[in-house]
Each structure stands twice: as structure tokens, then as C-alpha cells.
Amino acid sequence: MKKYWQFIQKNSLESVLLGILLIIVLLSWFIYPGRFHEGVFVLGDEKKMIGVFDLIKLPYITIATSIHIVLYVLIIGGLYGVLNKTKVYQQVVMYWADKLGDKVVLIVTILLISLSSLTGNLYLLFVLVPFFVALILYNKYDMLTAFAATVGAIIIGNSVALFHTVFSAAFSYYYRVDVFSFLFEKIIVFLIVLAGYSLWVNKKKKTANEQIPLFEKVRKKKQELTTGFLLFSSVFVGFLFLVMYDWVYVFGISFFEDLSKRIKDLPVLGNLLGDIPNFGFWGIYELLNIIIIFIILIVFIFNIKLKDAYQGFISGVKSMVKPALYMGFVFFTYYLIAHLQGGINIYYAIVNQIILMTKNFELVGYGLIGFISLIFYNNLAEYVYNTTLFIDVVEVSIKPVIPLVLKSFYALGMFILPTSLFLVGGLVYLKINYFDWLKYIYRFVLILFILNIGFLLLLANL
């Protein structure tokens, strides 16, 4: 028994994911699935049990259906592998690590929480994680602190989202919820969480020359190209933040969409660019295209030999294979429910049961639904869409606090549940034990949970 428990502790993430898989399989054997039709729950005629052959094909089917996520993570590795060949990238890291010193964790945490809350562009922010991790680890902080200040900060920003592109656009489109509703109250909570979390993670722990992932150390020397490199990179990142933000549905601003239409109407440039989405509606595929273009430009601008660029890219890709596969595999719950069981599934049956059990405390019910939904739906936009099947738009207009409940507790789940895409990717990337992360953060999660409850009860009574 002791050896069994030691094995679970050592392979904590895998053990918990296996446990979730087994629970879902068992539920499929005991729970009748259902669906919602015009807000009314309809029970299925028969059970949709998950069998042995479903489980055998689960790993490769899940990876195949989430291949865009796998490629996304691998290309991030390739990007930093090529950047290391410039030697300028390392100079930038070392310069800013020295300049920020003991303030690096505090500044990185505040920056990433703010960007996450204001933009909600998790895919772009995750691309920046290896750079900020290098800054922190170079200053001799441990892996756990580096993870909390980067991936943890990005997830925290989701829980206190102000103008989050996915949440704001989806709630605006489906529920007609104004992005400025409860803005003053949301800003107060944002500032409280920002201050509390920044102080929580700002604990210096010396390490014994811990290796920095996706970073090759070089000798310090003055490089005139570091400023140019930083500006060049900032232009790309700034451009992506602009074109990946849904300005139309969040703020009703069509400037960027109109600009892209004019560009595509140009005779030569429009044909050269091909069929690209309008600015403001760019997603992970367009992000990958821009990263590849950035890599090509870096190779030519810094005159990197093609052989060295290839070796750097492959080296970076290899270092991200495990995080890529894990991030792809966490979609297994989504595959089991949305694909294998289809539109009539046990998720809707569970949701209906929660609604019935919390009929007199519906905000509590919606909070619980938001939390467990992360297990079944890793995609934010699809999660919000699914809520429209069992939550009436009219009810939201009467109680506009409902979207905040759905958002806050879903985001809280992203912080601790092992089906959280970026949580898993970050833990595997930095080789952090899942249980160690829970031990490190559970007190803050409890505080955040209580704060959310108090905040939402206050708004519900306004």
C-alpha cells in the first residue's frame, strides 16, 4: 500500500487524470444521459456506456482531434530553439533579469495578471511564458515560484477578467450582457486579487544552478542588437494582441475589422495574403502562422545558418514534446462526452441534477456547474455556448450576476483541476508535481473562493 501511494505521489498528474477517466466511465454506466431543448431537460431513452474499445482508442483519437494544440506547443518550443541561436535573445534575458533583480517575480506577476484580465488571450500569453520563466529562474527562484508567477498569473487573470475577449464577447453575443456591467465592482475585486496574489508568489527561494528550460546560457557581452530585437519582437506581440481581440462583440468597435477588409480588397496585397480572417477574429491557427513568419525573419535578420536554425528548431521542439502531448490529451474528457456520447450525454444530466438540487440557491448551483464544466469542456467559448442551453437569456437580463458566477468558478477550476489546458502544460513544462502545486496554492484558492462568494452575493443583492 505504501509503494502504491508513493507511485501516486510521484505520478500525481497522471494518477488524477486516470481517476477522472475512471469516474466518467463509471458514470456512463450508471447515469442516463440527456439533453436540453429550449431550456427543458429531456432524458435519454438508454444509457451510453463507455466500453473497452472506446478506452483503447481514446489516447490517439484525443491527440488527433487536438492536433492543433499539439502543434502549437511544439512550435513554441521551435521558436525558442531558434531564438537561442541568435545569442541576442540570451543577452535580452540576462540584461532584464539583472535589471529587475529581486523585483522580477512581482513585476512579471502583475504584468501577466493584467494582460490576462484585460485581453483573455491565453494562447498568446502562453507563448511568452518561456521568456518570463527564464527571467525568474535566472534570478535563482525555484520552478514552483516561476510557474506561479507566469502560468498561475495568467490563470488568475481569467478569474478576475475585466475585458476578457472570449468571456466578454461570448456573454455579449449570447446573453446581451454589457461588458461594462458591474465594472467598478469588478475593478475592486481585480485590484484585491492582483495585490494578494502578487504578494503570495513573491517569495525568493535560492536554487542550485537549476537548468532553465528553453534557454542556453552564453557569456555576458554588450550587444547593440538587443534593443532592436526587443522592439522587433514587441511589434509582433502587440500586433497579435490587436488582431486576436474581438473588438466588435466586446466594445462594438469595427475599425480593425474594416481595416482588414480594406487590406484584403487591395489588388496585389490582398491576393498575396490569401484568405485570412478579419482582424479581431484571429485564433490559434493565425497565431501559428505569425510565429512561423517571425521565426523565418529572425533567421534572416540575424543571419543564422540554416543548419543551425534547423538544429535549434528541432532541439526546441523535442523539449516540448511531453507538454504538447499532455496538453493534447487533457481533451479526453471532451472527446468522451461531446464526441463519443454526442448531444445527449451525461454532462447535461449532471447539470440538470445540480439545477434541481439547488433550485432555491441557483447562484450556488451555477457556481458548481461552472466549476465542474471545466472537466468536460476545455474550450471557453464552447463552454459559454453550452450554458445557453439550460440558462434562459431572460433570466440573465433579470439577474445579470449569473454570467459572473459562470465565469468566476470556471476560471477557479482552471487553477486547480488537471483538465485545465494551460495548468497541465505549465506543470509538465517545468516538471512540477501536481500535488506540490496544490500544497503551494490551496490556501490562496480557498481565499479566492470565499472572495468570489462574497462578491457575488453582494452583487446579487444590489
Side-chain angles (χ1 to χ4, degrees):
M1 189 67 182
K2 186 178 179 181
K3 289 183 178 180
Y4 178 70
W5 177 242
Q6 287 176 342
F7 176 82
I8 290 177
Q9 286 183 311
K10 185 178 179 180
N11 302 279
S12 56
L13 184 59
E14 294 84 355
S15 300
V16 176
L17 286 171
L18 179 61
I20 291 174
L21 173 60
L22 292 176
I23 289 171
I24 292 175
V25 171
L26 289 173
L27 289 176
S28 74
W29 280 70
F30 290 99
I31 297 179
Y32 277 89
R35 65 186 177 95
F36 284 92
H37 178 68
E38 296 181 355
V40 178
F41 179 72
V42 180
L43 190 65
D45 297 329
E46 57 184 16
K47 295 175 184 175
K48 292 185 175 181
M49 293 170 282
I50 298 169
V52 175
F53 275 88
D54 299 319
L55 295 177
I56 291 174
K57 66 183 180 182
L58 178 63
Y60 57 86
I61 289 292
T62 303
I63 295 295
T65 53
S66 59
I67 191 64
H68 58 295
I69 299 295
V70 175
L71 289 174
Y72 158 75
V73 181
L74 294 178
I75 288 175
I76 290 175
L79 165 66
Y80 282 92
V82 173
L83 287 176
N84 276 298
K85 293 299 179 181
T86 66
K87 307 302 180 187
V88 179
Y89 167 70
Q90 292 95 316
Q91 300 298 327
V92 171
V93 170
M94 291 187 292
Y95 172 78
W96 282 101
D98 290 338
K99 192 172 182 65
L100 297 177
D102 289 342
K103 297 178 182 178
V104 64
V105 170
L106 183 65
I107 291 172
V108 169
T109 304
I110 291 173
L111 176 65
L112 290 180
I113 289 176
S114 302
L115 288 174
S116 177
S117 177
L118 294 173
T119 70
N121 196 336
L122 303 190
Y123 287 111
L124 178 54
L125 289 174
F126 195 73
V127 174
L128 304 178
V129 164
F131 169 70
F132 288 115
V133 163
L135 289 180
I136 294 168
L137 294 181
Y138 191 83
N139 272 304
K140 304 300 181 183
Y141 285 85
D142 65 344
M143 289 287 191
L144 201 53
T145 304
F147 175 81
T150 53
V151 178
I154 292 170
I155 296 173
I156 275 289
N158 266 256
S159 70
V160 286
L162 295 176
F163 302 109
H164 191 292
T165 181
V166 178
F167 280 133
S168 299
F171 284 129
S172 173
Y173 180 80
Y174 293 120
Y175 291 119
R176 302 293 184 266
V177 174
D178 194 316
V179 68
F180 296 104
S181 63
F182 300 121
L183 181 59
F184 176 75
E185 292 84 355
K186 287 191 289 188
I187 290 175
I188 296 298
V189 173
F190 166 78
L191 293 174
I192 292 172
V193 173
L194 177 69
Y197 188 75
S198 299
L199 294 173
W200 187 276
V201 301
N202 192 28
K203 304 169 185 175
K204 183 151 183 138
K205 294 183 180 178
K206 292 288 185 179
T207 59
N209 295 319
E210 204 162 7
Q211 185 178 2
I212 302 174
L214 292 178
F215 182 79
E216 297 176 7
K217 290 183 179 179
V218 294
R219 290 183 180 181
K220 288 188 179 181
K221 57 181 179 178
K222 189 174 181 181
Q223 285 272 3
E224 295 180 358
L225 291 173
T226 53
T227 303
F229 171 82
L230 202 56
L231 288 173
F232 179 70
S233 303
S234 299
V235 168
F236 268 83
V237 173
F239 170 75
L240 284 167
F241 271 121
L242 285 175
V243 298
M244 295 182 73
Y245 193 87
D246 195 338
W247 299 95
V248 174
Y249 284 107
V250 178
F251 296 113
I253 297 173
S254 61
F255 171 78
F256 296 102
E257 184 180 18
D258 295 338
L259 177 62
S260 60
K261 288 178 180 177
R262 286 195 214 96
I263 292 173
K264 287 191 290 186
D265 286 339
L266 295 174
V268 178
L269 185 59
N271 293 329
L272 184 64
L273 291 174
D275 185 20
I276 61 172
N278 292 328
F279 293 163
F281 299 94
W282 281 30
I284 188 170
Y285 295 106
E286 290 73 34
L287 171 61
L288 291 177
N289 290 340
I290 294 298
I291 291 175
I292 291 170
I293 292 172
F294 180 80
I295 291 172
I296 293 171
L297 290 176
I298 286 292
V299 170
F300 282 99
I301 290 172
F302 291 94
N303 198 26
I304 304 173
K305 294 179 180 179
L306 292 181
K307 181 181 178 181
D308 291 339
Y310 172 78
Q311 289 176 344
F313 185 85
I314 295 300
S315 174
V317 166
K318 286 180 179 178
S319 66
M320 293 298 279
V321 168
K322 191 173 180 180
L325 292 177
Y326 272 72
M327 287 179 74
F329 184 69
V330 295
F331 284 92
F332 76 89
T333 52
Y334 175 76
Y335 167 75
L336 287 174
I337 300 303
H339 286 271
L340 195 60
Q341 290 202 324
I344 303 176
N345 57 58
I346 61 172
Y347 167 73
Y348 294 130
I350 294 170
V351 166
N352 180 64
Q353 194 60 39
I354 292 173
I355 291 173
L356 293 176
M357 291 172 58
T358 58
K359 205 164 189 178
N360 298 323
F361 308 95
E362 58 183 7
L363 291 185
V364 175
Y366 290 143
L368 184 56
I369 289 170
F371 186 79
I372 69 161
S373 289
L374 179 62
I375 297 175
F376 301 97
Y377 289 96
N378 310 75
N379 184 290
L380 290 178
E382 191 159 1
Y383 155 66
V384 177
Y385 164 73
N386 273 276
T387 65
T388 65
L389 302 179
F390 52 84
I391 298 177
D392 192 356
V393 176
V394 176
E395 185 182 5
V396 174
S397 65
I398 298 171
K399 299 177 181 178
V401 72
I402 290 175
L404 288 179
V405 176
L406 296 170
K407 170 191 71 69
S408 300
F409 286 90
Y410 183 89
L412 194 63
M414 292 177 68
F415 212 49
I416 56 175
L417 291 176
T419 49
S420 172
L421 182 66
F422 298 102
L423 177 70
V424 168
L427 290 175
V428 177
Y429 168 60
L430 292 177
K431 299 176 183 177
I432 295 172
N433 186 282
Y434 176 63
F435 289 158
D436 289 342
W437 167 245
L438 293 184
K439 290 176 187 176
Y440 174 87
I441 204 64
Y442 81 92
R443 291 186 184 89
F444 186 83
V445 172
L446 288 175
I447 293 170
L448 189 60
F449 174 78
I450 294 168
L451 180 64
N452 272 336
I453 292 290
F455 172 59
L456 295 170
L457 287 176
L458 175 65
L459 294 185
N461 291 297
L462 286 179

